[in-house]
Amino acid sequence: MNRFEKSTTAQQIRLERRLPSYWRVTFDHPPLNIFGPETIPQLNEIIMALETDERVKVVVFDSAVEGFFLMHYNFFAPLEDTTSLPPGPTGLQALPDMLVRLSRAPVVSIVSIRGRATGVGSELALASDMRFASSEKAILSQWEVGAALVPGGGPMARLPRLIGRGRALEVLLGADDVRGDLAERYGYVNRSLPDSKLDAFVDALAMRIASFDKQAIADTKRLVDVASLPSDAEISLEWDAFIASLNRPASQHRIKALMERGFHRPGDVEDRLGYHVGQLGG
Amino acid sequence: MNRFEKSTTAQQIRLERRLPSYWRVTFDHPPLNIFGPETIPQLNEIIMALETDERVKVVVFDSAVEGFFLMHYNFFAPLEDTTSLPPGPTGLQALPDMLVRLSRAPVVSIVSIRGRATGVGSELALASDMRFASSEKAILSQWEVGAALVPGGGPMARLPRLIGRGRALEVLLGADDVRGDLAERYGYVNRSLPDSKLDAFVDALAMRIASFDKQAIADTKRLVDVASLPSDAEISLEWDAFIASLNRPASQHRIKALMERGFHRPGDVEDRLGYHVGQLGG
Amino acid sequence: MNRFEKSTTAQQIRLERRLPSYWRVTFDHPPLNIFGPETIPQLNEIIMALETDERVKVVVFDSAVEGFFLMHYNFFAPLEDTTSLPPGPTGLQALPDMLVRLSRAPVVSIVSIRGRATGVGSELALASDMRFASSEKAILSQWEVGAALVPGGGPMARLPRLIGRGRALEVLLGADDVRGDLAERYGYVNRSLPDSKLDAFVDALAMRIASFDKQAIADTKRLVDVASLPSDAEISLEWDAFIASLNRPASQHRIKALMERGFHRPGDVEDRLGYHVGQLGG
């Protein structure tokens, strides 16, 4: 957590190679770990390394920012900063491209969720292979419908396959905060663990997988992919719907109202986003 | 619950527009909320209104009849009263047509289950977007195989996608009563709640969704549909199998045996239908 | 449990027709219920009988061996003993052929898991219709990746559809032991029950289903199959990947290391296989 490390760069994501076979990726963009267009190339560089490194077998994503795992998109950034990014290798736009490549990478991805995983944070978690959450401190949410937006990073394709249509619709259309224990009951995360045990559990699982054979891991995962991954076409529809929703007066009105309440700043709106999107009125 | 409201009409379903954006649909056909061919046009009228009204965003289905949410088909009605109904807009027969249209309607459908949801009651719940149940008072079941019938309203297509093949086969082939808490563990309902808290929970969720933007709701739901709805062709196979099963001696024999025990009348057979279909012998 | 019954034959599986409609299949190959190429024709004969008998409606699989339900493949048997078996009626190789035929048989298959269900044991459980486990004594696992193998009997196709991609990847890539209660939370089994109640529960469910109409059971199951079974092509890919993985130095090295620790013999390695595959190093 040494803040001096980041000093002069705008680097928001730290990569630590704990072993050649076991990497840690830590979101460290205080105070809120908001995800913006400038975050995309940083994350993309890491995902490219995961795709091509011959020794890495497992990667754990976590956060160095108290209270926030990874958050929604940056609504202060001009939309053009995002839409002008070139499409990625899959032909999808840059953000969904990265997420589908993470799902298919020949590496096991594990998210360790402490604090809020909202918007892109939830979408990265859903695109990863496994999700573990702090019972006391994890909050997952897809808040977008509460702001008259359509989520854009794949949750309509991924959540119903993971937790069933009914609970997926509740998460997406209720747009409310989901705490660790409910997330486990719903299957939104693999397990929620007492906060004091989360790090040791995830580290032991990662070390275990890092001791296994890379080809057996990659071949087995690839066969699970056949049975469980949505097509890129499905993911593409979501991104288009998200971009279209950004341009509608209803979302601009609601995001402005959230801004007036304190959105994008440390405080109650970001801490209890589920509550606040329910207060914007009809 | 004022019984005077229904007075002279044969109306079995009440529609209340609590807000222009939030409707309540209440099954009120005492003593058992049995679903018959005459119920179909009444429910169809409501579903057509949900499809076309420009302001409604959320609908809650509940029951005004103590002990019964919504029940099995009326076996006293001549089969021709059902099979002579014209197909619906999807080309499916009237009952499955309504259910698939409810699933696709640009409106959020929530069932609040208190009492028994058996047969059509379970199938309407499964075709709806979200299901919440009373821990103490909800009973869900697909009883049909216990009467030598094949269910007809879509549960073979919908249950495995919701709760997995193993639990779906247990519900369908065990044909037993499933109480609220087990229904939650299996994912058959989103959650079961203490009976005293069910109404407030469902109402708060509906009010919350009613405050959101209709287009964001509809666009997000449509993308979940892509990932989670069975095809109409799958639903069609089930209706055909149900009708064929009605004409077989095995089902006629078992339904007659149930009638002799008190089926279709208030009492132990309808209260404990799971038990009684297990007593009909081999 | 009368061991005298098996006396002089090499029969590893006992078939009891408790009723013409209700069969029990008991794995009885002490000390470990290891599954080898010689087990395949024995199990195949039973599955053919289940497919063709006109009276059987339900079959329960259990074990007569303390501590072991059904285990991994026999690594002492020459690979040719397996690969030289002719393909089955589906065109798949003999082992996956049997499992997909069990899934499609017009009979309800229930596994009652007490002791370890690892490798083929887990794969048979997943190919069956319903799974019930002893809370205290059941252990499920797909241990293969821990030995640098790819599982071959269908779990990459079946587990994600049953428990979702995230938990399936944890089971398959973590390769660890999963006890009864976690197996229920994950949906890997329908339910885990106190060991003292497991037999009575499974027997009552089997007797209940045996009292139902065979055609209604078969027709209903067939429609669930449409919604939930993987294609044979998906299953075929897994078998090929398993065979290929057997021939790689990484797996031969790890299986040899396990043998030196006591694999294939009663003792700590087979009792705690999840632990031991985690000790083989990177």
Side-chain angles (χ1 to χ4, degrees):
Chain A
M1 314 291 162
N2 183 348
R3 289 301 197 283
F4 293 94
E5 288 178 20
K6 30 194 306 286
S7 58
T8 56
T9 77
Q11 196 66 23
Q12 301 169 7
I13 311 179
R14 289 193 274 116
L15 169 62
E16 177 200 357
R17 289 174 176 79
R18 198 163 287 189
L19 294 175
S21 55
Y22 169 20
W23 297 4
R24 302 279 300 200
V25 174
T26 301
F27 298 106
D28 189 10
H29 184 214
L32 292 171
N33 267 344
I34 285 176
F35 191 101
E38 79 285 2
T39 325
I40 291 180
Q42 296 183 27
L43 184 55
N44 188 48
E45 191 179 338
I46 289 169
I47 291 175
M48 279 184 57
L50 289 168
E51 287 175 310
T52 52
D53 186 279
E54 293 184 3
R55 293 195 291 173
V56 63
K57 301 177 195 171
V58 60
V59 58
V60 172
F61 291 92
D62 66 4
S63 164
V65 178
E66 175 79 22
F68 299 93
F69 171 75
L70 183 65
M71 292 290 279
H72 52 75
Y73 219 68
N74 179 355
F75 289 90
F76 285 123
L79 180 56
E80 294 68 33
D81 288 2
T82 299
T83 53
S84 65
L85 290 168
T90 63
L92 294 170
Q93 288 302 303
L95 176 59
D97 171 79
M98 282 194 312
L99 295 178
V100 304
R101 284 164 47 220
L102 177 63
S103 295
R104 290 201 203 107
V107 172
V108 183
S109 48
I110 302 174
V111 292
S112 178
I113 304 175
R114 176 177 284 124
R116 180 178 282 282
T118 278
V120 181
S122 168
E123 292 163 355
L124 174 84
L126 290 168
S128 295
D129 295 336
M130 304 175 204
R131 290 154 289 287
F132 297 95
S134 161
S135 295
E136 299 94 326
K137 298 191 176 174
I139 298 172
L140 291 91
S141 83
Q142 296 288 161
W143 69 292
E144 291 88 343
V145 168
L149 296 169
V150 178
M156 284 80 83
R158 292 194 183 95
L159 266 174
R161 290 177 165 90
L162 196 65
I163 68 176
R165 172 179 172 84
R167 288 168 171 173
L169 285 168
E170 182 188 343
V171 168
L172 289 160
L173 302 179
D176 213 341
D177 295 345
V178 178
R179 297 198 162 264
D181 288 345
L182 184 64
E184 172 178 318
R185 278 158 61 199
Y186 275 24
Y188 197 164
V189 298
N190 287 40
R191 300 189 213 180
S192 74
L193 296 113
D195 192 71
S196 61
K197 299 195 171 171
L198 176 65
D199 294 340
F201 177 89
V202 169
D203 191 57
L205 177 59
M207 286 293 292
R208 178 179 174 88
I209 293 173
S211 79
F212 292 163
D213 177 63
K214 185 172 166 91
Q215 185 169 0
I217 292 169
D219 288 355
T220 301
K221 179 175 165 178
R222 191 172 34 78
L223 288 163
V224 171
D225 289 352
V226 172
S228 62
L229 286 184
S231 71
D232 287 358
E234 248 183 272
I235 300 293
S236 178
L237 290 173
E238 297 193 21
W239 184 257
D240 295 346
F242 166 64
I243 295 294
S245 71
L246 276 173
N247 288 318
R248 286 200 285 264
S251 65
Q252 292 177 357
H253 172 77
R254 283 175 189 250
I255 289 165
K256 183 162 172 287
L258 281 172
M259 292 289 192
E260 288 163 4
R261 285 171 169 256
F263 194 46
H264 275 64
R265 296 194 303 274
D268 199 59
V269 173
E270 296 288 6
D271 288 347
R272 297 196 300 146
L273 187 55
Y275 170 79
H276 285 276
V277 297
Q279 301 300 311
L280 303 179
Chain B
M1 313 289 162
N2 183 347
R3 290 300 196 281
F4 294 99
E5 287 177 22
K6 31 195 303 287
S7 58
T8 57
T9 79
Q11 196 66 25
Q12 300 168 8
I13 312 179
R14 288 193 274 115
L15 170 61
E16 177 199 355
R17 289 174 175 80
R18 198 164 286 190
L19 294 175
S21 55
Y22 169 20
W23 297 4
R24 303 278 300 199
V25 174
T26 302
F27 298 106
D28 190 9
H29 185 214
L32 293 171
N33 268 343
I34 284 176
F35 191 101
E38 79 285 1
T39 324
I40 292 180
Q42 296 183 26
L43 185 55
N44 188 48
E45 191 179 337
I46 289 169
I47 291 175
M48 280 183 56
L50 289 168
E51 287 175 311
T52 53
D53 186 280
E54 293 184 3
R55 293 196 290 175
V56 63
K57 301 177 196 170
V58 60
V59 58
V60 172
F61 291 92
D62 65 6
S63 163
V65 177
E66 175 80 22
F68 299 94
F69 172 74
L70 183 65
M71 292 290 280
H72 51 75
Y73 220 69
N74 179 356
F75 289 91
F76 285 124
L79 180 56
E80 293 69 31
D81 288 3
T82 299
T83 53
S84 64
L85 290 168
T90 62
L92 294 170
Q93 289 302 303
L95 177 59
D97 171 80
M98 283 194 311
L99 296 178
V100 305
R101 285 164 46 219
L102 177 63
S103 295
R104 289 201 203 107
V107 172
V108 183
S109 48
I110 303 175
V111 292
S112 177
I113 305 174
R114 177 177 285 125
R116 179 177 283 283
T118 278
V120 181
S122 168
E123 292 163 356
L124 174 83
L126 290 168
S128 295
D129 295 336
M130 304 176 204
R131 289 154 290 286
F132 298 95
S134 162
S135 295
E136 299 95 326
K137 298 190 177 174
I139 299 172
L140 292 92
S141 82
Q142 297 287 161
W143 69 293
E144 292 87 343
V145 168
L149 296 169
V150 178
M156 284 82 83
R158 292 194 183 96
L159 266 174
R161 289 177 165 90
L162 196 65
I163 68 176
R165 171 180 173 83
R167 288 169 171 172
L169 285 168
E170 182 188 344
V171 169
L172 290 159
L173 302 179
D176 212 342
D177 295 345
V178 178
R179 298 199 161 264
D181 288 345
L182 184 63
E184 172 178 320
R185 278 158 62 198
Y186 274 25
Y188 197 164
V189 298
N190 287 40
R191 299 189 215 181
S192 74
L193 296 112
D195 191 72
S196 61
K197 299 195 172 172
L198 176 64
D199 294 341
F201 177 89
V202 169
D203 192 58
L205 176 59
M207 286 294 292
R208 178 179 175 87
I209 292 173
S211 80
F212 292 163
D213 177 64
K214 185 172 166 89
Q215 185 169 0
I217 292 169
D219 288 356
T220 301
K221 179 175 165 177
R222 192 172 34 78
L223 288 163
V224 171
D225 290 351
V226 173
S228 61
L229 285 184
S231 70
D232 288 357
E234 247 183 275
I235 300 293
S236 178
L237 290 172
E238 297 193 22
W239 183 256
D240 295 345
F242 166 64
I243 295 294
S245 72
L246 276 173
N247 288 318
R248 285 200 286 262
S251 65
Q252 292 176 357
H253 172 77
R254 283 175 189 249
I255 289 166
K256 185 162 171 289
L258 281 173
M259 292 289 192
E260 288 164 4
R261 286 172 169 256
F263 194 44
H264 275 63
R265 296 194 302 274
D268 200 59
V269 172
E270 296 287 5
D271 288 347
R272 297 197 299 147
L273 187 55
Y275 170 80
H276 284 276
V277 297
Q279 301 300 311
L280 303 180
Chain C
M1 314 288 164
N2 183 348
R3 289 300 198 283
F4 293 94
E5 287 178 19
K6 30 193 307 285
S7 60
T8 57
T9 78
Q11 196 65 24
Q12 300 169 6
I13 311 179
R14 288 193 274 115
L15 170 61
E16 176 200 356
R17 289 173 174 81
R18 198 164 287 188
L19 293 174
S21 54
Y22 168 21
W23 297 4
R24 303 277 301 198
V25 174
T26 301
F27 298 106
D28 189 10
H29 184 214
L32 293 172
N33 268 343
I34 284 177
F35 190 100
E38 78 285 1
T39 324
I40 292 180
Q42 295 183 26
L43 185 55
N44 189 47
E45 192 179 337
I46 290 169
I47 290 175
M48 279 183 57
L50 290 168
E51 287 175 310
T52 54
D53 187 280
E54 293 184 4
R55 293 196 291 174
V56 64
K57 301 177 196 170
V58 59
V59 58
V60 172
F61 291 92
D62 65 5
S63 163
V65 177
E66 175 79 21
F68 299 94
F69 172 75
L70 183 65
M71 292 290 280
H72 51 74
Y73 219 67
N74 179 356
F75 288 90
F76 286 123
L79 180 56
E80 294 68 33
D81 288 1
T82 298
T83 53
S84 64
L85 290 168
T90 63
L92 294 170
Q93 288 301 304
L95 177 59
D97 170 79
M98 283 193 312
L99 296 179
V100 304
R101 284 164 46 219
L102 177 63
S103 295
R104 289 201 203 106
V107 172
V108 183
S109 49
I110 302 175
V111 292
S112 177
I113 304 175
R114 176 177 284 123
R116 179 177 283 282
T118 278
V120 182
S122 168
E123 292 163 357
L124 175 83
L126 290 167
S128 295
D129 294 336
M130 304 176 204
R131 289 153 290 286
F132 297 95
S134 162
S135 295
E136 298 96 325
K137 298 190 177 174
I139 299 172
L140 292 93
S141 83
Q142 297 287 162
W143 68 294
E144 291 88 344
V145 168
L149 296 168
V150 178
M156 283 81 84
R158 292 195 182 96
L159 266 174
R161 290 176 164 91
L162 196 65
I163 69 175
R165 172 179 172 84
R167 287 168 172 173
L169 285 168
E170 182 189 344
V171 168
L172 290 159
L173 302 179
D176 212 342
D177 295 345
V178 178
R179 298 198 161 264
D181 288 344
L182 184 64
E184 173 178 319
R185 278 157 62 197
Y186 274 24
Y188 197 165
V189 297
N190 287 40
R191 300 190 212 180
S192 73
L193 296 113
D195 191 72
S196 61
K197 299 195 172 172
L198 176 65
D199 294 340
F201 177 89
V202 168
D203 191 57
L205 177 59
M207 287 293 292
R208 179 180 174 87
I209 292 174
S211 80
F212 292 163
D213 177 63
K214 184 170 166 93
Q215 186 169 359
I217 292 170
D219 288 356
T220 300
K221 179 175 165 177
R222 191 173 34 78
L223 289 163
V224 171
D225 290 352
V226 172
S228 61
L229 286 184
S231 71
D232 288 358
E234 247 183 273
I235 300 293
S236 178
L237 290 172
E238 298 193 21
W239 184 257
D240 295 346
F242 166 64
I243 296 294
S245 72
L246 276 172
N247 289 318
R248 285 199 286 261
S251 64
Q252 292 176 358
H253 171 77
R254 283 175 189 250
I255 289 165
K256 183 161 172 289
L258 281 173
M259 292 289 192
E260 288 164 3
R261 286 171 169 256
F263 194 44
H264 275 64
R265 296 193 303 274
D268 199 60
V269 172
E270 295 287 5
D271 288 348
R272 297 197 299 145
L273 187 55
Y275 170 80
H276 285 276
V277 296
Q279 302 300 311
L280 304 179

